[in-house]
Amino acid sequence: MEAIPSDTQSSAAADGGFNVLTPEAWKALLSPYSHIVLVANSEAVDFGRLRSELPETALYVFFNNVYKVLDEPFAGHAVLIARSGVMGANIVHRREVVDVLRFFAGDDFLGVVNIRVSPEENFSDESGFNGARTRHLDLTQMLGDLYPTDKIATSGFAMALWLAELQLPGKILLAGFSAKRSEKWKVFDVHDWTFEQIFLRLFARMGTISMMGGVDVSPYAALAKRFPQVPPIEIAMTAAEVLSERLHNANGQIDRLMSVTKSIRAIEGFFRRFKPKTRKQRFLEKSKE
């Protein structure tokens, strides 16, 4: 791998001391790879297919708790995205760095990229990552006017958008970005999964990125082929009408469930008051003093 030119290698962050690269330096670092593969922490990831279809020049981008998708050390070009929270990188303050980094070793591992996507999130310095080469990436401004204000972007969505804007020569591939809750791993309500899926699928249909599964086999594309005389906007409006009706019916059932489980939720709320505070809660309380 070619070294990053020294004159574009890094710049000091506003809050000091972090390894923040310039856009030119990021392009120099990532341009040699034929593919940039963002691997979601999802059971939908098909590693066998990925490794068989992609060349050895592909770079695999993993996120936080990689043991959700890896069961042995990864052999190939890789980088780990470590998402920050208010207490710094999540894997640092949760003491998971050793458990995560054991999956990566050797010269093919580019190291850790500690990212934040909102002003409330804070970086962790390099010393917290158990000796791994660490870079810092601030995506708050990029997402500020784009993402729904009452939600916070996922790391995968933020990285996909940032990589697309870098205009790298390699292809950007998203693997396992289904936004579906599995039996083993949950999805968090703090993210706007609907917005992200619409955005990413539009990106995919424009050719900016590629998504493994779920895009080229759209049933609505089949409708357009079956009814070529119907304008695409009419097909979209009809689909939205049907989905709206189904959502209205589902909300009626949800209201019934909320009524039936009212007493159960009251009991749960009572016992939650006795639950010890988490480290994050104690940190936030202390920071307000």
Side-chain angles (χ1 to χ4, degrees):
M1 183 61 58
E2 297 182 1
I4 301 174
S6 59
D7 59 339
T8 62
Q9 186 165 352
S10 64
S11 60
D15 45 357
F18 298 116
N19 187 13
V20 180
L21 275 61
T22 63
E24 293 78 13
W26 281 116
K27 290 192 71 170
L29 181 67
L30 300 175
S31 289
Y33 299 101
S34 61
H35 298 75
I36 311 293
V37 188
L38 276 64
V39 183
N41 288 334
S42 166
E43 294 174 347
V45 174
D46 188 343
F47 258 111
R49 180 182 171 188
L50 282 174
R51 301 310 296 270
S52 64
E53 293 185 359
L54 297 179
E56 295 182 356
T57 50
L59 172 69
Y60 292 82
V61 181
F62 294 93
F63 297 89
N64 292 320
N65 300 330
V66 295
Y67 46 76
K68 294 181 178 181
V69 290
L70 295 175
D71 52 16
E72 61 182 3
F74 183 77
H77 300 290
V79 64
L80 175 69
I81 304 301
R83 175 66 174 270
S84 278
V86 294
M87 297 176 64
N90 292 327
I91 62 173
V92 173
H93 83 78
R94 293 173 183 167
R95 301 183 178 93
E96 297 171 335
V97 173
V98 173
D99 292 334
V100 171
L101 290 184
R102 66 185 176 87
F103 290 95
F104 307 105
D107 296 336
D108 289 338
F109 180 50
L110 287 185
V112 177
V113 179
N114 182 197
I115 71 169
R116 69 173 191 166
V117 304
S118 74
E120 293 78 18
E121 297 173 348
N122 298 294
F123 287 134
S124 290
D125 59 40
E126 190 168 359
S127 62
F129 294 96
N130 200 38
R133 174 70 183 273
T134 304
R135 302 171 179 90
H136 297 84
L137 180 60
D138 191 339
L139 301 178
T140 55
Q141 291 186 348
M142 181 190 72
L143 294 164
D145 296 330
L146 171 68
Y147 208 82
T149 56
D150 58 338
K151 298 288 184 178
I152 187 169
T154 65
S155 301
F157 175 81
M159 287 300 298
L161 180 58
W162 176 73
L163 287 168
E165 292 192 348
L166 274 185
Q167 297 183 337
L168 299 169
K171 297 180 179 179
I172 302 171
L173 174 63
L174 275 55
F177 281 63
S178 65
K180 297 178 182 178
R181 179 177 184 140
S182 68
E183 293 185 2
K184 190 174 183 181
W185 308 115
K186 64 182 179 180
V187 296
F188 293 97
D189 191 47
V190 295
H191 309 303
D192 193 328
W193 298 100
T194 301
F195 174 83
E196 293 194 6
Q197 283 294 304
I198 292 172
F199 197 107
L200 293 175
R201 293 188 184 208
L202 287 174
F203 251 15
R205 292 189 170 102
M206 290 169 55
T208 307
I209 63 173
S210 298
M211 296 179 71
M212 181 169 281
V215 176
D216 296 332
V217 295
S218 169
Y220 301 103
L223 285 173
K225 290 181 180 180
R226 178 62 180 82
F227 301 103
Q229 71 278 17
V230 180
I233 187 62
E234 290 294 334
I235 295 177
M237 290 181 65
T238 303
E241 177 186 344
V242 174
L243 290 174
S244 177
E245 291 179 359
R246 290 182 58 82
L247 180 60
H248 176 74
N249 293 334
N251 283 337
Q253 297 301 316
I254 292 173
D255 287 342
R256 292 183 60 190
L257 285 173
M258 293 296 289
S259 177
V260 170
T261 59
K262 183 177 180 180
S263 58
I264 298 176
R265 287 183 286 111
I267 295 173
E268 181 190 26
F270 174 78
F271 284 105
R272 276 185 178 274
R273 292 186 298 173
F274 303 100
K275 185 178 180 180
K277 294 179 180 179
T278 64
R279 291 177 61 234
K280 181 177 180 180
Q281 289 172 328
R282 294 196 300 269
F283 173 84
L284 289 174
E285 290 179 356
K286 186 176 181 180
S287 64
K288 293 178 181 180
E289 294 178 357

